[in-house]
Amino acid sequence: MLNPNIRNYLKKLSTLNFQFSTSGGQSLIEVLVSLSVATVVLSAITVAVIYSLRNTQFSKNQNLASQYASQGMEVVRQIRDTKSTLSDYSGSYCLAQDSLVLTGIPPCGQNVGLQDIGPTPGNINLYSREVNIEPPNPPPTPPTPCEKTYKVTVKVSWWDNVCGNTSNFCHKAHLISCLSDLKNNVQKP
């Protein structure tokens, strides 16, 4: 027969072993489920961050395009103010960065901006700026907002990774204004 001390020790040991096997401890399935949930959560956070960064970049490009369009409109106003008329201009022109001269016939290519990316390798600009000047409508045509003035449209187009590998600009910003000739609108005393 076993010594009572040994018997008590074995009894305690079996009770202790039973307590360890039924309490706490995670099964392999629980670990896999928690890892799967963590992976899904991290993937969702990653997608949200990437989407946010893409939208931020698009907003930045759109703001710059609007600024370039405003600068283009100011150049046309300066031309009008210098010559007192826009009668020498009709049609579409290119307007390069830091230029006060309307040149070329569109498509203008990348002529504004300072980034070394875009659909055409080797070009150093991200944006393309084009100016369209329509002379005043003759009287028999239906009334328009720029009926007795020049309708000036400055279009700034740009390319980014959303456009893909095409050679076309897929984003545009337009600014339209009606400008009159200064020489025809001078108030006489």
Side-chain angles (χ1 to χ4, degrees):
M1 202 132 142
L2 286 173
N3 185 348
N5 289 338
I6 293 177
R7 188 181 301 160
N8 286 340
Y9 177 73
L10 289 175
K11 203 183 253 187
K12 285 181 183 178
L13 187 60
S14 68
T15 307
L16 188 61
N17 187 17
F18 178 72
Q19 288 174 351
F20 280 134
S21 65
T22 59
S23 69
Q26 296 177 341
S27 69
L28 182 59
I29 294 174
E30 290 172 330
V31 170
L32 290 175
V33 168
S34 62
L35 284 175
S36 298
V37 169
T39 302
V40 168
V41 169
L42 287 175
S43 296
I45 290 171
T46 302
V47 167
V49 167
I50 289 171
Y51 185 74
S52 175
L53 289 173
R54 185 181 304 146
N55 284 341
T56 301
Q57 186 63 36
F58 177 79
S59 294
K60 176 185 166 192
N61 290 340
Q62 192 171 28
N63 285 337
L64 280 172
S66 296
Q67 288 176 2
Y68 291 140
S70 294
Q71 289 172 358
M73 191 62 72
E74 286 303 316
V75 168
V76 174
R77 281 190 181 106
Q78 287 177 357
I79 291 170
R80 189 260 332 250
D81 292 349
T82 302
K83 295 184 173 194
S84 298
T85 184
L86 289 173
S87 61
D88 295 341
Y89 298 96
S90 178
S92 295
Y93 302 91
C94 298
L95 180 60
Q97 185 166 343
D98 299 327
S99 176
L100 297 175
V101 179
L102 300 175
T103 60
I105 299 172
C108 299
Q110 296 164 286
N111 59 5
V112 185
L114 300 173
Q115 300 188 19
D116 190 14
I117 60 174
T120 310
N123 283 343
I124 59 168
N125 302 309
L126 175 65
Y127 299 88
S128 174
R129 183 167 52 194
E130 181 180 318
V131 176
N132 186 28
I133 301 174
E134 296 177 28
N137 294 332
T141 61
T144 63
C146 296
E147 184 176 356
K148 296 179 181 179
T149 60
Y150 289 88
K151 180 180 178 183
V152 179
T153 304
V154 179
K155 178 177 79 173
V156 177
S157 306
W158 75 94
W159 181 94
D160 63 13
N161 292 331
V162 175
C163 301
N165 292 329
T166 67
S167 60
N168 297 328
F169 296 100
C170 65
H171 305 292
K172 293 176 179 52
H174 290 86
L175 182 60
I176 301 172
S177 186
C178 301
L179 299 178
S180 62
D181 281 342
L182 290 178
K183 71 178 183 181
N184 295 334
N185 290 323
V186 175
Q187 296 284 336
K188 294 183 180 178

